Amino acid sequence: MIGPIPCRVASANRPDGPFPLNNLPYGVFSDGGAPRCGVAIGDMILDLAACADRGLIADAGCFGAGALNGFMARGRAEWDRVRAALTALLGQGGQGDLPLVPMAAARMHLPFAVAEFTDFYASRHHAFNVGCLFRDPQNALPPQWDHLPIGYNGRASSVVVSGTDIHRPMGQLRGPQGPRFEPTARLDLELELGAVIGADSPLGARIGVDRAEDMIFGYVLLNDWSARDIQAWEYQPLGPFQAKAFATTIGAWIVPQAALEPFRRRGAQRQAPLLPHLQDPRPGFYDLQMGWSLNGQVMARVNHSVMSWSAAQQLAHHASSGCPMRVGDLLGSGTISGPGPDQVGALLEMTRGGAEPVTVAGQTRRFLEDGDRVDLFAHAHGAGYRIGFGPCTGRILPALPDHGPCPEAAGGLS
């Protein structure tokens, strides 16, 4: 495995820092002006729009935008060219004054315009644990689980950047006297890794797993907030709907696929042979240490390589019917859980559906309460450096009051 690449920015050379020169994650930030594209390096942000204006890197023509979609659409050859140019510029032999902005002085924005959001169910341990709660160990997994990546189409409109407060959702719940409409009492998190798609595929076309790998621009931390009581009432027969539609939080930094190449690993052992269109020609998982904390207390740690379905397999399956994919599509891995009780990515599993509460900073929790803060984290360990993702944070606020009908509904359209 390669070692750390020395950088002109001193803070990027700390072996325990998340953003060394080996990483170069992309994001969108502002510091009093319009949002623009940048790269995290140490405790600073390299302003890519300013770099292009000064001629420090060849102008990709899109770094002044408030989203990375234009750059992603340029394709892998351009991604590789810019990464090489930034590595040379930021290396100890680089030339020119660097337009750096302290992270502490910047506001982070959603790094790309989310075209569509699809979430999957790719951890066998998570699927088994949840199946046991609602069925029994002999029937915990649905019969198709080992043969295809199970997923559902979510809401791109409710994907928000780390640090955005989340209001407790209202919903219809099962009650002893019939359904009722009230705030969810079983609000949960889901520890996930999100794949950001940087290429289109046309309507009717299918793509292989190898082509799917080439379409992945990078990865973000992802928390697919879930209202378990709403979900339990609504999910038959078409799957999750309002229980998942209210919010999904992603980290502000997209770690490029290239930064994770040294950490590729095989995933969980297969339980059944795959059909040809889902066979993976190379390892599609990463030696990535992940976890989550609640109100500052670390609750679980797990390695990404416990997963059974890679992002490339999920993407290939998504397009297998001819479904067109778009630049800016976001694919959630599904909850990442391992075999141990301290390796699960959701409170649903940790508390066995609320039956076995946990203690957090001296308080009992079955599910999330108003005021709770959830933080996801992930990093890969290299030889003398680490690849980090930055924070993925959300705080729970009380449900919003009913504001009544919208003006158009009350007064009619003019």
Side-chain angles (χ1 to χ4, degrees):
M1 182 173 290
I2 63 172
I5 304 173
C7 182
R8 297 166 63 188
V9 179
S11 59
N13 296 319
R14 298 198 316 263
D16 60 344
F19 302 128
L21 189 48
N22 303 65
N23 192 345
L24 299 180
Y26 292 92
V28 171
F29 76 100
S30 60
D31 59 347
R36 56 201 187 277
C37 300
V39 160
I41 186 71
D43 58 6
M44 309 294 285
I45 300 172
L46 181 68
D47 186 333
L48 294 180
C51 283
D53 289 344
R54 298 181 190 183
L56 296 175
I57 59 173
D59 186 6
C62 46
F63 290 139
L68 281 157
N69 299 59
F71 173 59
M72 294 192 297
R74 298 294 181 90
R76 183 162 297 278
E78 183 71 356
W79 308 343
D80 292 344
R81 184 193 68 77
V82 170
R83 182 173 177 82
L86 292 174
T87 301
L89 177 66
L90 289 163
Q92 290 187 333
Q95 302 296 315
D97 293 333
L98 297 175
L100 297 169
V101 176
M103 285 188 179
R107 176 188 175 192
M108 300 307 299
H109 302 268
L110 201 65
F112 64 103
V114 182
E116 304 282 356
F117 170 51
T118 305
D119 200 44
F120 287 89
Y121 196 46
S123 163
R124 186 181 183 88
H125 297 291
H126 174 69
F128 180 80
N129 291 341
V130 172
C132 288
L133 288 175
F134 297 107
R135 293 181 292 276
D136 60 80
Q138 287 69 40
N139 299 291
L141 296 178
Q144 76 274 32
W145 199 91
D146 286 314
H147 301 280
L148 58 84
I150 296 173
Y152 72 92
N153 287 315
R155 289 291 297 177
S157 63
S158 53
V159 177
V160 297
V161 72
S162 173
T164 304
D165 291 335
I166 306 301
H167 284 277
R168 180 174 298 273
M170 301 285 293
Q172 190 176 120
L173 316 176
R174 185 197 306 270
Q177 307 302 321
R180 60 190 192 274
F181 186 76
E182 61 188 40
T184 176
R186 295 164 69 89
L187 184 58
D188 204 355
L189 74 137
E190 289 188 348
L191 170 68
E192 303 193 24
L193 193 66
V196 181
I197 307 307
D200 293 340
S201 66
L203 178 68
R206 296 184 299 276
I207 57 177
V209 176
D210 53 347
R211 167 61 179 146
E213 278 274 5
D214 203 46
M215 293 172 64
I216 297 172
F217 176 71
Y219 294 89
V220 293
L221 281 174
L222 187 150
N223 184 349
D224 190 33
W225 305 95
S226 301
R228 301 301 186 185
D229 41 7
I230 297 173
Q231 185 177 357
W233 177 237
E234 74 178 5
Y235 84 105
Q236 295 286 3
L238 295 181
F241 184 39
Q242 295 297 81
K244 301 276 193 172
F246 60 95
T248 300
T249 300
I250 64 170
W253 295 107
I254 307 175
V255 173
Q257 192 182 52
L260 295 173
E261 284 299 323
F263 306 97
R264 281 189 179 268
R265 296 292 184 273
R266 292 285 176 190
Q269 185 173 356
R270 290 275 165 216
Q271 304 298 311
L274 297 180
L275 294 176
H277 74 288
L278 288 175
Q279 292 176 6
D280 202 342
R282 59 175 174 160
F285 304 89
Y286 299 100
D287 183 10
L288 187 63
Q289 298 295 327
M290 306 182 67
W292 60 278
S293 65
L294 178 55
N295 297 334
Q297 178 177 316
V298 174
M299 305 297 292
R301 301 177 189 270
V302 64
N303 195 285
H304 178 251
S305 61
V306 302
M307 301 296 275
S308 295
W309 297 103
S310 71
Q313 288 172 314
Q314 291 167 347
L315 178 54
H317 178 65
H318 207 323
S320 63
S321 64
C323 170
M325 307 306 296
R326 294 289 179 260
V327 171
D329 280 350
L330 176 63
L331 306 185
S333 64
T335 305
I336 302 173
S337 292
D342 59 348
Q343 296 176 293
V344 296
L347 279 166
L348 179 70
E349 296 171 81
M350 185 169 284
T351 67
R352 296 188 58 78
E356 299 176 7
V358 294
T359 300
V360 183
Q363 296 183 324
T364 297
R365 286 290 183 275
R366 288 177 168 83
F367 292 95
L368 298 175
E369 302 289 344
D370 292 348
D372 283 349
R373 171 176 164 154
V374 175
D375 294 86
L376 311 186
F377 57 86
H379 52 265
H381 287 282
Y385 72 98
R386 63 195 290 179
I387 301 295
F389 284 71
C392 183
T393 298
R395 183 168 59 99
I396 304 302
L397 300 183
L400 288 169
D402 184 1
H403 293 293
C406 66
E408 290 83 0
L413 296 176
S414 57

